[in-house]
Structures are given as C-alpha cells and as structure tokens.
C-alpha cells in the first residue's frame, strides 16, 4: 500500500487535526474515561437493547414472573449474604467514582407496555454487597407497582451494559425501603460502613432524571428517626426501619437504590427519596432534602436469618 503526498495544505490540515485531537484529550477527559450518550437516540437504543435481552430471558424462562416477584416480596427466599469488610484506605474522588462504577447496577423492570411494541425501562440503582451476586437496592425499585405492562422482566444491568435476570428476592422491607436481590454472576462488592457522622463526606453515583453516570460529592447532614412507632430497642430491625439520613450530594428521581459512599468507597447508605420544602402556590422552594437509608439499617436487614 502506498501513500501519496498531497502538499503543504494537507500537511497543515493534518497538523491542525492532530493539535485539535490533543487538545480534546488535554481539556476533555483522561484516556479511558467512558462518555455517556445522553442523546434521545442513545437513551432509546439503550432501553431497546435491555428490552431485547429481557425478551430472551423471558422466552428461556430465566426471569421471575410478575406474580413470583410479588410473592417473594411478601415471603423472601432464605439465603445467607456474606458481606465484604469495609476499607480504611482513603481514596481520591476519581478512585471512589471508579469503585462505585464497578460495584453499581441499574435495577428494575424492562417491559412492553399495553399501548405499543417498544420496550421501556423503569429502573433505579443498586449496588453489589457480596462477590456472588447479591445486590441491594430500594424496596420500591423492586416493586412493579402499577406499571401497566403486557410482559416484563426484573433485571440488573452492570456498568458495561450487560443485562442479568434477577433470580430471587432475598430480603425485602417496605418500611425501611430496602431490598436484596440475586443475580447469577460474580460481582464486585462494596462494603458497608456505619461508623460515620454528620460532616463526613458523602459521594453518590446515580442516574438522576436519566442523566447517566452522574457523580456528586457532599456531606452527611444529619441522622433522624422518621416515624413514632419504633420499638424501644433502637438496634432492632423494627426500629432501624425508621432510621434515615440526610446528605447534600445530589440526586433526583431515577437515583433510588444507588449507593452513597464514604471517602474509602464504603457504602454509608443508599438513595431513598428527595423532598422539597416550602414549595407551593406563590411560595419558593426553601430547601431540598436528600434522604438516604443508612448502612446500619441495610446491613441489619442483610444479616437477618
């Protein structure tokens, strides 16, 4: 193969292109950093690919039916969860992001609605808590609720876009808003750390309002009891269902179940809800509260026999 010289103009054009490319690397992102396709086309393609894989799982009988999920929400399948040990090594923000990326999942329903033949996704976040496929998330992420679907599958999607059928629901606590599901795969676990206090750093990787791979940093604002019917023993599962945590890292609908992490990339809680206060007719929003389920509560649920 021969290459023909094309003169000074093409040489200068090549130099300009090379300079422009180097500038992109210098001022855009580091080599190897994934870029999320936020376009409508990209989001629709992602949902369609998840749907196609979900349909294959359905045809092969590899997923729980809607009825089976509902049953296991009421009567979770017994199973021992071997939790990872927390790390004590402080990491940079970029290192925490990478740990979160590898340990995080999208969890939820891929389905065909009653009105069209296009696959839809109704998903939140989740995070691996053991190396053998146990994933924690919110209870309301697992619950199909009133989704109008002709057929659907409860699935998990990893950071590379690989789709896994959820095989069982092993823990489910509606009041706590926590659940543990299982996939048949090796997973990269994130450990729990409940030895934290207000003022400590709080990082979150989630998908707020379909904005993929959104990573934010804040602090723990406070811990509080939400509800007056807890038991006298604050360590009991019944009481811990009412324990909540506010943090200032950012999230929105679509983030539910995503991990909130400390400076060592341990899970200190997971996203539960967002609450605006002061908003109303002719009234501005005075404060937005980001509420998480603390690690102590979720860990107690995982350790329940």
């Amino acid at each position: 193969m021969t290459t023909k010289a094309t003169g000074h103009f093409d040489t200068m054009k090549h130099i300009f292109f090379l300079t422009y490319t180097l500038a992109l690397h210098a001022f855009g992102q580091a080599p190897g950093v994934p870029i999320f396709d936020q376009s409508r086309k990209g989001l629709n393609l992602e949902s369609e690919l998840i749907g196609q894989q979900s349909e294959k799982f359905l045809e092969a009988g590899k997923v729980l039916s809607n009825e089976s999920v509902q049953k296991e929400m009421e009567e979770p399948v017994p199973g021992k969860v071997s939790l990872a040990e927390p790390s004590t090594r402080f990491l940079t923000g970029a290192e925490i992001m990478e740990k979160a990326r590898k340990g995080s999942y999208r969890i939820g329903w891929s389905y065909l609605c009653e009105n069209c033949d296009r696959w839809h996704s109704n998903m939140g976040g989740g995070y691996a808590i053991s190396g053998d496929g146990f994933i924690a998330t919110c209870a309301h992420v697992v619950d199909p609720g009133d989704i109008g679907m002709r057929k659907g599958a409860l699935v998990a999607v990893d950071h590379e876009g690989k789709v896994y059928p959820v095989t069982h629901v092993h823990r489910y606590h509606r009041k706590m808003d926590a659940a543990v599901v299982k996939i048949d795969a090796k997973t990269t676990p994130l450990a729990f750390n409940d030895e934290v206090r207000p003022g400590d750093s709080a990082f979150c990787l989630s998908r707020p309002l379909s904005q993929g791979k959104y990573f934010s940093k804040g602090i723990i604002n406070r811990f509080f009891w939400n509800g007056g019917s807890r038991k006298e023993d604050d360590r009991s599962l019944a009481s811990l269902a009412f324990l909540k945590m506010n943090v200032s890292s950012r999230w929105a609908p679509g983030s539910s179940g995503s991990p909130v992490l400390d400076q060592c990339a341990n899970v200190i809680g997971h996203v539960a809800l967002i609450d605006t206060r002061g908003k109303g007719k002719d009234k501005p929003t005075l404060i937005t509260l980001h509420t998480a389920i603390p690690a102590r509560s979720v860990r107690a649920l995982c350790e329940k026999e």
Side-chain angles (χ1 to χ4, degrees):
M1 180 178 179
T2 60
T3 302
K4 193 180 290 186
T6 54
H8 177 73
F9 177 77
D10 284 348
T11 300
M12 292 302 295
K13 186 166 64 174
H14 174 74
I15 292 172
F16 174 79
F17 176 77
L18 181 61
T19 303
Y20 179 71
T21 302
L22 290 173
L24 282 179
H25 281 296
F27 300 106
Q29 77 284 339
V33 174
I35 302 174
F36 185 75
D37 187 351
Q38 192 61 55
S39 68
R40 183 184 298 273
K41 180 179 179 181
L43 293 174
N44 287 342
L45 177 60
E46 180 188 47
S47 186
E48 188 64 27
L49 291 174
I50 294 172
Q52 290 172 4
Q53 191 61 57
S54 298
E55 188 166 36
K56 290 180 182 178
F57 295 149
L58 284 164
E59 291 172 352
K62 293 183 177 180
V63 293
L64 296 171
S65 66
N66 190 323
E67 293 76 18
S68 295
V69 172
Q70 297 273 11
K71 181 179 179 181
E72 292 189 8
M73 284 163 51
E74 300 302 322
E75 299 178 13
V77 176
K80 181 176 176 57
V81 183
S82 298
L83 300 175
E85 290 295 321
S87 171
T88 57
R89 186 171 74 89
F90 275 47
L91 303 174
T92 66
E95 290 172 327
I96 297 167
M97 163 68 182
E98 185 62 15
K99 290 264 190 182
R101 188 174 72 91
K102 291 181 178 179
S104 294
Y105 288 77
R106 294 184 68 204
I107 303 283
W109 290 88
S110 176
Y111 66 97
L112 285 174
C113 72
E114 298 169 342
N115 302 315
C116 71
D117 293 321
R118 186 167 62 86
W119 282 91
H120 306 276
S121 298
N122 186 7
M123 309 184 80
Y127 51 100
I129 55 175
S130 71
D132 53 355
F134 285 98
I135 300 173
T137 184
C138 280
H140 75 259
V141 168
V142 175
D143 188 353
D146 56 358
I147 301 173
M149 54 183 167
R150 283 182 284 142
K151 59 179 179 179
L154 181 61
V155 297
V157 185
D158 70 11
H159 66 284
E160 295 179 334
K162 187 172 182 179
V163 185
Y164 301 88
V166 170
T167 58
H168 288 294
V169 179
H170 285 275
R171 304 286 191 277
Y172 189 88
H173 202 300
R174 194 182 304 275
K175 285 186 178 180
M176 184 184 292
D177 202 6
V180 176
V181 300
K182 181 74 163 61
I183 61 173
D184 286 334
K186 294 294 183 182
T187 45
T188 302
L190 297 170
F192 288 117
N193 175 27
D194 60 5
E195 297 297 324
V196 290
R197 64 192 67 191
D200 287 348
S201 295
F203 300 82
C204 183
L205 173 64
S206 72
R207 185 180 287 220
L209 297 173
S210 298
Q211 307 300 304
K213 302 187 185 302
Y214 189 88
F215 188 59
S216 67
K217 177 184 178 181
I219 61 169
I220 298 172
N221 302 121
R222 64 167 181 162
F223 294 90
F224 65 101
W225 295 109
N226 187 31
S229 59
R230 72 181 192 274
K231 305 298 182 183
E232 289 185 7
D233 183 1
D234 289 344
R235 297 168 297 178
S236 70
L237 200 59
S239 289
L240 289 173
F242 296 99
L243 183 62
K244 301 292 184 285
M245 174 175 71
N246 286 141
V247 303
S248 63
S249 47
R250 307 297 295 275
W251 60 69
S255 301
S256 295
S258 300
V260 182
L261 307 160
D262 67 11
Q263 192 73 56
C264 303
N266 300 307
V267 174
I268 58 176
H270 67 233
V271 175
L273 56 88
I274 183 169
D275 183 19
T276 56
R277 296 296 179 97
K279 186 177 181 180
K281 187 177 180 181
D282 300 324
K283 293 181 180 180
T285 297
L286 299 178
I287 191 170
T288 299
L289 301 174
H290 294 77
T291 302
I293 309 304
R296 180 164 298 180
S297 303
V298 188
R299 187 173 67 181
L301 180 63
C302 294
E303 292 173 345
K304 177 187 174 185
E305 294 295 335

